[in-house]
Amino acid sequence: MRLEMGHIYIKDIQFASESKIEDGILYVSEEAVKAVALEDEKIKSASFDIARPGESVRITPVKDVIEPRVKVEGRGGIFPGVIAKVDTVGEGKTYALKGMAVVTAGKIVGFQEGIIDMTGPGADYTPFSKTLNLVMVCEPVDDIKQHDYEKAVRFAGFRVAAYIGELARNLTPDETKVYETCTIKEGMEKYPDLPRVAYVQMLQSQGLLHDTYVYGVDAKKIVPTILNPTEIMDGAIVSGNCVSACDKNPTYVHLNNPVVHDMFEQHGKTINFVCQIITNENVYLADKMRSSDWTAKICKMLDLDGVIVSQEGFGNPDTDLIMNCKKIEAEGVKTVIITDEYAGRDGKSQSLADADAAADAVVTGGNANQVIILPKLDKVIGTLDYVTKIAGASEETLRADGSLEVELQVLTGATNETGFNKLSAR
Amino acid sequence: MVKEVERAGIPVVHVCTVTPISMTVGANRIVPAIAIPHPLGNPALDKAEEKELRRRIVEKALNALTTEVDGQTIFE
Amino acid sequence: MGQKNYIVITNNPLVSEKLHETHGVVYKEASYEELLTEVRDRIHEGHTLLTHPLSGSVKPNETPYKSVLISSGKGEIDERSLSIIENAIQACRKFEDKTGRYSARVLKDFQLIDWTLLESGLASADAW
Amino acid sequence: MAKLKVVHYINQFFAQIGGEEKADYPVELRVGEVVGPGMALTANFKDDAEIIATIVCGDSYFNENLEKAKAEILGMVKEQAPDVFIAGPAFNAGRYGVACGTIAAAVQEELGIPSLTGMYVENPGADMFKNQVYMISTKNSAAGMRDAVSKMAPLAVKLGKGEAIGASAEEGYMPNGVRVNFFEKERGSQRAVKMLLKKLAGKPFVTEFPMPDFDRVDPNPAVKDLAHAKIALVTSGGIVPKGNPDHIESSSASHYGEYDIAGVMDLTEETYETAHGGYDPVYANEDSDRVLPVDVLRDMEKEGIIGELHHLFYTTTGNGTAVASSKAFAAEFSAKLKADGVDAVILTST
């Protein structure tokens, strides 16, 4: 399968009377995007704001971050089974608006978390301090159930991102990258001497605010399966996960999955990138057993030499991660796993909730319990009301000078477990 | 812990309820025990019976200590 | 696995309310860690863990609520269950307790989240 | 800003007094002198720090007169009141490494003066002290001096100034069980791909998070003559004299208990209990023999089945599954058991 990714670099976002992209500037009609958000009757109001890198702005509580894209050639559309009709994606031509994101914010439950600081020490940790952010804050109709609210905001974010992406349909990309994979047989013939490598991605799948969707299917209901790695670039996987801000995967991370992209860098040179394998992280232990059994089985059936396994979230996925690693290694397939750590504020506690000698090659996204002081910023998009309640924030969260003493876990994407960042720990 | 005793050059038997964990922590001579809250006892028995039960486990442990082993061995 | 084959151990009043008439529910007014200790003692008696005690990404002591499914039958001590519950209890201690600071509304949200996590486990348990 | 004051500890060899034949050289304080490796350190300090005194001590002298030497050196360091104390580097010299670790840890702990040392990772002093003081990982011989001091000097300056210390990979010290965040040059996915390529090619790679220790130790030979053997009891079940006199913590205890059972024939509800928080304590509190079978072993001692039951037992509150936590103190009491002539150990776990 061959996908051509056209990158269109966005240099600024401005509100204007008409939505368009001109000379790398995204002009957004507030009225138009509002109308897109309000298509769902469960949303009472939506407000939009712009946050630029370096500005004294804090966005919280963040729900999702989405990169606008548009499918210009080939089957299907962006976010199949969610926004576009169900059709297999991952081939043809897709444009992405680089350097920007649509950020959805607003509290769905009282303890909603997720901070993006556009400047200061917090900005060093969240990757979304580097993107121009079009922020949408949605208020629901009265007496809405949390399930319905979550779904409404999730879909509104995708609709707005799709609307913005559509503005790029007739543009000429600033840069084009081609991603091409082979079928099993082709790959063996083309790269007989290269190790056969795949990417095993574990998806959070546990219940309200903990879900991930694959072509619209709730990931807790899937059994492990294989994807062509280009499918994610068209939005085959989207996030419904709002908990554990530091190590959940926003939709932006799914679209730009760094393991997929870095494996493509090596594809045909040092490895034969065979496929992406997706599996879940369910609550029920027998489900964990089944999914890890199947993941290992698929690795074996594909005659893989090595895999990278990435995790999502805190605590129980450590068990899935170790089960996957152990069982895949037992099939003679070499593994590298990516995780993050909860080593306590002093760094002295046991980092993971599970361990096995088979996990001898680990990449870490850092200790999420590390304390960081976030200075008061000039402007807050969303609400700080709940910061005192968010994960990692303590009683002293709001200090006398208005600064926040928090753990890294509250910063969106700070210790991402797909290897999205440079943060690590020893 | 059991490994450190072994490393010091003293033969050691690990009396442990969950033998797979004993395998994981690297014991070489392993004797299964009764239950986690009472590894060498059973409150359901009367005192004399219970002590007899304990004695049998200790005898097994001593037997393990006087037996040459080649790697990890569970003395059922 | 029918409803008779498992027990719900919970400190979440919402779970108790929803399930007590139809399911085997042990409701304890207990802290998160105390609830896990309760589960651990049952594993020591030979019950098997059916759902992961650290279900969900809401951190221990951030949420006060936890519901866990265990087998109603007893057998040999299950090593895997034991290691999971012990690691979960250890993990609890890494997070400071914030549960005294919430409004009633936020507590309700935590109860709901815990319920949905359990619900996804129940769906799997009831599938056999 | 005034220069930081440093006291430097070296052995007789690096003081160019002599080799093994001079290893009994007693402790000597040289105020105002910079000796041997101190020159290289000084060069690397630039204007930030200076060595105000050097302490020289023979390796045999230190290890054979441990308490005396330690007290002498602590006295000298206290008098000089430096901002930082540096010992070594010791490279692969075993006794020198143990001395450096011992004295650096003592200065830091007892005088509250930040200390560091450096040695080769396989030096026995490394495992013993790397979790207590910052220990720069050096090459295995003095040929690695330049590299060693280029890491020790800046770390000493940071310690002396009370600055934040980076991760082990950045500063060059041996991992010490404390996880510290830092920014790598490449993102995690790139690091993962590179690690996988090395693993696939069978080349060495370094994991960013080592799993707890799963190494194996070969079994010792069996006890030949049980009837004359001294058997000791050890438990991870937390059995302690009633009232838990040493306050052993209920989980992941920071110390172990050592208790004398000379003359104790039976552990009763009135005399013993468990400090362990990892299981329901009711049964062990009723009768601690259920965890630590003193009663049965006393019977067997009387019957002549075993030679004797060692008069001390050791206790911790480790979980069955917690692999790494109790390693350090197990090594310590195992050495005592060995020294006391114990022939075999029965270790009970819950």
Side-chain angles (χ1 to χ4, degrees):
Chain A
M1 242 199 259
R2 183 180 190 277
L3 179 69
E4 213 178 292
M5 279 296 312
H7 293 172
I8 291 154
Y9 288 100
I10 299 299
K11 297 192 279 282
D12 194 19
I13 306 177
Q14 293 170 15
F15 287 123
S17 56
E18 186 198 347
S19 296
K20 62 182 173 184
I21 299 168
E22 233 172 57
D23 300 329
I25 296 173
L26 168 65
Y27 298 92
V28 177
S29 154
E30 233 178 320
E31 214 174 310
V33 282
K34 237 177 227 175
V36 171
L38 292 175
E39 279 171 24
D40 188 335
E41 59 196 17
K42 293 199 175 63
I43 295 174
K44 186 165 72 180
S45 69
S47 60
F48 287 82
D49 217 325
I50 294 162
R52 299 173 180 86
E55 288 180 345
S56 183
V57 175
R58 170 166 298 142
I59 311 168
T60 188
V62 172
K63 174 174 169 22
D64 199 6
V65 184
I66 310 156
E67 186 177 75
R69 296 188 171 201
V70 61
K71 190 97 198 131
V72 290
E73 272 175 31
R75 282 172 69 179
I78 301 298
F79 305 130
V82 177
I83 296 293
K85 286 197 181 104
V86 174
D87 197 351
T88 303
V89 292
E91 47 118 17
K93 194 187 283 185
T94 299
Y95 293 166
L97 301 187
K98 305 309 280 187
M100 74 153 293
V102 172
V103 174
T104 57
K107 51 161 185 75
I108 287 156
V109 288
F111 56 89
Q112 183 92 24
E113 56 184 358
I115 294 178
I116 295 173
D117 275 5
M118 301 307 289
T119 189
D124 293 341
Y125 290 92
T126 174
F128 307 110
S129 61
K130 289 113 196 153
T131 47
L132 291 156
N133 295 324
L134 179 65
V135 187
M136 174 175 74
V137 181
C138 290
E139 285 292 325
V141 294
D142 299 338
D143 299 325
I144 191 169
K145 289 275 179 234
Q146 291 94 330
H147 286 94
D148 295 329
Y149 184 14
E150 187 281 325
K151 190 175 173 189
V153 177
R154 172 162 33 102
F155 274 79
F158 299 144
R159 282 198 306 274
V160 169
Y163 166 85
I164 304 281
E166 195 61 42
L167 302 175
R169 182 175 287 281
N170 297 316
L171 299 182
T172 305
D174 299 309
E175 177 193 38
T176 297
K177 290 199 169 182
V178 176
Y179 299 97
E180 193 164 6
T181 53
C182 321
T183 63
I184 302 285
K185 199 171 130 199
E186 276 169 11
M188 299 197 74
E189 286 167 0
K190 202 166 166 189
Y191 309 115
D193 299 325
L194 294 180
R196 297 169 56 74
V197 168
Y199 167 42
V200 176
Q201 187 183 14
M202 294 167 36
L203 306 172
Q204 181 69 253
S205 57
Q206 309 204 336
L208 177 60
L209 310 189
H210 289 82
D211 285 326
T212 305
Y213 300 86
V214 182
Y215 281 85
V217 178
D218 183 346
K220 74 170 83 69
K221 295 173 182 158
I222 66 165
V223 287
T225 187
I226 63 174
L227 295 186
N228 191 303
T230 53
E231 289 177 62
I232 54 123
M233 299 178 191
D234 283 337
I237 304 175
V238 299
S239 171
N241 185 5
C242 321
V243 183
S244 211
C246 63
D247 53 16
K248 71 169 183 185
N249 293 328
T251 300
Y252 188 100
V253 170
H254 287 299
L255 289 163
N256 289 289
N257 190 304
V259 179
V260 168
H261 286 79
D262 288 341
M263 280 193 169
F264 265 123
E265 277 297 313
Q266 295 299 320
H267 180 52
K269 297 175 197 160
T270 58
I271 60 170
N272 174 11
F273 185 11
V274 176
C275 69
Q276 178 174 3
I277 300 168
I278 51 168
T279 180
N280 48 18
E281 302 173 347
N282 286 10
V283 165
Y284 198 63
L285 291 169
D287 292 349
K288 291 185 186 297
M289 296 285 292
R290 183 193 306 112
S291 289
S292 52
D293 284 348
W294 275 55
T295 302
K297 176 189 71 179
I298 291 170
C299 290
K300 176 77 178 166
M301 288 178 73
L302 292 170
D303 272 318
L304 298 176
D305 297 301
V307 296
I308 290 173
V309 187
S310 73
Q311 185 184 354
E312 181 175 4
F314 154 84
N316 77 82
D318 294 354
T319 297
D320 299 277
L321 180 70
I322 294 297
M323 281 173 143
N324 281 320
C325 171
K326 198 173 162 179
K327 290 177 186 181
I328 294 168
E329 286 273 348
E331 294 292 354
V333 180
K334 296 202 164 56
T335 62
V336 171
I337 62 176
I338 312 177
T339 184
D340 68 347
E341 303 180 45
Y342 289 81
R345 289 185 166 206
D346 61 5
K348 290 179 183 168
S349 298
Q350 186 59 40
S351 295
L352 301 181
D354 208 340
D356 192 87
D360 63 356
V362 185
V363 167
T364 172
N367 177 15
N369 291 126
Q370 185 200 305
V371 173
I372 179 174
I373 310 290
L374 302 179
K376 189 174 191 294
L377 298 185
D378 294 345
K379 177 176 167 185
V380 173
I381 302 177
T383 169
L384 266 182
D385 293 358
Y386 296 89
V387 158
T388 49
K389 306 279 174 7
I390 56 183
S394 68
E395 215 152 13
E396 301 77 31
T397 293
L398 270 172
R399 308 191 325 162
D401 60 355
S403 64
L404 299 165
E405 181 187 322
V406 294
E407 292 180 16
L408 282 187
Q409 26 164 343
V410 307
L411 292 166
T412 299
T415 60
N416 183 280
E417 297 168 280
T418 65
F420 203 74
N421 305 320
K422 291 177 179 169
L423 189 67
S424 181
R426 290 292 189 285
Chain B
M1 203 155 77
V2 60
K3 254 185 330 204
E4 300 315 308
V5 179
E6 195 90 79
R7 216 190 296 274
I10 310 172
V12 53
V13 57
H14 193 201
V15 181
C16 173
T17 308
V18 189
T19 53
I21 290 177
S22 187
M23 298 288 281
T24 309
V25 301
N28 290 314
R29 294 177 170 92
I30 301 166
V31 168
I34 304 296
I36 287 175
H38 44 83
L40 290 104
N42 185 351
L45 304 174
D46 69 40
K47 279 278 164 197
E49 283 173 344
E50 190 183 12
K51 194 168 172 188
E52 190 50 43
L53 171 77
R54 174 152 60 249
R55 178 155 177 142
R56 282 202 299 275
I57 298 170
V58 173
E59 279 168 354
K60 257 190 233 172
L62 293 171
N63 173 46
L65 285 170
T66 51
T67 306
E68 300 293 352
V69 296
D70 180 23
Q72 298 188 299
T73 311
I74 298 175
F75 293 80
E76 291 289 353
Chain C
M1 187 170 289
Q3 288 166 12
K4 290 208 166 50
N5 295 330
Y6 58 81
I7 309 168
V8 182
I9 302 191
T10 185
N11 64 359
N12 179 351
L14 178 67
V15 167
S16 174
E17 184 191 311
K18 283 187 185 277
L19 296 181
H20 77 275
E21 283 179 359
T22 49
H23 291 68
V25 179
V26 177
Y27 172 73
K28 297 260 172 186
E29 278 188 30
S31 72
Y32 191 107
E33 188 176 330
E34 284 162 1
L35 197 278
L36 295 190
T37 305
E38 179 75 30
V39 172
R40 181 203 65 200
D41 287 349
R42 284 162 197 268
I43 289 166
H44 288 179
E45 291 168 14
H47 294 274
T48 307
L49 208 48
L50 297 177
T51 60
H52 200 292
L54 295 177
S55 53
S57 292
V58 190
K59 309 298 182 299
N61 299 335
E62 181 197 0
T63 176
Y65 302 111
K66 178 48 63 186
S67 305
V68 180
L69 283 188
I70 62 169
S71 67
S72 51
K74 288 198 267 187
E76 290 280 299
I77 293 173
D78 182 53
E79 178 223 347
R80 193 69 193 148
S81 299
L82 185 62
S83 108
I84 289 172
I85 192 72
E86 283 187 354
N87 281 316
I89 291 171
Q90 292 252 316
C92 269
R93 300 186 181 142
K94 297 189 284 198
F95 299 92
E96 72 176 323
D97 195 332
K98 306 191 193 75
T99 54
R101 302 176 201 158
Y102 302 121
S103 65
R105 151 87 212 284
V106 172
L107 289 175
K108 289 263 183 230
D109 284 344
F110 279 124
Q111 290 174 9
L112 177 76
I113 293 296
D114 177 64
W115 160 246
T116 70
L117 294 169
L118 177 71
E119 210 178 10
S120 80
L122 289 172
S124 292
D126 290 336
W128 16 321
Chain D
M1 193 179 147
K3 286 184 180 183
L4 294 168
K5 293 181 290 178
V6 178
V7 169
H8 186 209
Y9 173 93
I10 55 175
N11 70 355
Q12 83 287 349
F13 177 78
F14 283 97
Q16 286 164 353
I17 291 164
E20 194 52 41
E21 76 287 356
K22 295 284 183 190
D24 56 354
Y25 196 83
V27 181
E28 180 185 48
L29 174 70
R30 300 188 188 175
V31 178
E33 280 190 46
V34 178
V35 187
M39 310 277 189
L41 280 170
T42 302
N44 278 269
F45 285 147
K46 303 196 179 75
D47 288 333
D48 292 324
E50 63 181 333
I51 292 174
I52 56 161
T54 302
I55 296 170
V56 180
C57 180
D59 289 334
S60 301
Y61 183 86
F62 186 92
N63 285 291
E64 285 162 21
N65 308 281
L66 185 61
E67 291 310 316
K68 182 161 171 269
K70 217 163 99 176
E72 287 171 352
I73 296 165
L74 284 175
M76 292 168 180
V77 176
K78 193 172 178 185
E79 190 187 298
Q80 297 298 317
D83 300 300
V84 193
F85 177 77
I86 301 177
F91 305 105
N92 203 24
R95 285 177 311 158
Y96 185 26
V98 173
C100 284
T102 307
I103 199 63
V107 167
Q108 183 158 293
E109 179 144 326
E110 293 180 31
L111 304 180
I113 295 167
S115 302
L116 78 154
T117 179
M119 64 191 72
Y120 181 52
V121 65
E122 288 177 19
N123 190 313
D127 255 359
M128 290 167 72
F129 295 102
K130 67 182 178 191
N131 289 0
Q132 292 177 44
V133 286
Y134 285 110
M135 191 180 283
I136 293 291
S137 180
T138 72
K139 302 208 166 95
N140 66 356
S141 79
M145 182 65 80
R146 182 199 292 262
D147 177 61
V149 294
S150 75
K151 290 171 188 159
M152 288 173 78
L155 183 59
V157 169
K158 279 192 182 178
L159 282 169
K161 288 184 179 168
E163 289 176 4
I165 306 300
S168 55
E170 291 176 293
E171 306 278 3
Y173 62 86
M174 292 180 205
N176 57 3
V178 179
R179 303 294 292 171
V180 180
N181 284 345
F182 72 107
F183 288 98
E184 285 272 13
K185 289 188 184 66
E186 293 177 324
R187 65 180 183 180
S189 51
Q190 271 166 314
R191 285 157 21 224
V193 169
K194 284 191 173 170
M195 201 183 286
L196 183 63
L197 286 172
K198 283 186 188 164
K199 195 170 170 179
L200 285 168
K203 290 183 190 155
F205 58 89
V206 182
T207 181
E208 295 179 6
F209 176 76
M211 288 285 142
D213 200 355
F214 291 103
D215 68 338
R216 289 281 176 267
V217 180
D218 289 336
N220 288 303
V223 176
K224 299 282 179 306
D225 182 9
L226 195 59
H228 293 93
K230 189 195 263 192
I231 308 289
L233 278 172
V234 175
T235 186
S236 63
I239 301 302
V240 293
K242 189 90 175 173
N244 190 9
D246 298 324
H247 309 289
I248 308 279
E249 297 98 324
S250 61
S251 70
S252 309
S254 59
H255 55 298
Y256 61 90
E258 177 190 78
Y259 300 107
D260 197 330
I261 43 168
V264 175
M265 307 309 282
D266 186 15
L267 309 181
T268 64
E269 193 170 0
E270 290 72 36
T271 53
Y272 288 86
E273 65 181 6
T274 181
H276 206 296
Y279 61 91
D280 184 346
V282 172
Y283 310 106
N285 287 345
E286 264 172 25
D287 181 358
S288 291
D289 292 303
R290 284 169 176 159
V291 179
L292 196 75
V294 172
D295 59 348
V296 165
L297 282 159
R298 286 296 183 208
D299 291 349
M300 292 175 147
E301 193 179 31
K302 249 182 281 173
E303 293 162 26
I305 296 173
I306 61 167
E308 69 173 292
L309 176 61
H310 183 45
H311 72 101
L312 297 173
F313 78 87
Y314 294 91
T315 190
T316 73
T317 55
N319 267 337
T321 52
V323 190
S325 56
S326 51
K327 190 176 163 174
F329 41 71
E332 193 177 315
F333 67 64
S334 297
K336 292 187 187 179
L337 289 167
K338 188 73 185 166
D340 286 342
V342 167
D343 297 301
V345 166
I346 298 175
L347 193 158
T348 64
S349 286
T350 48

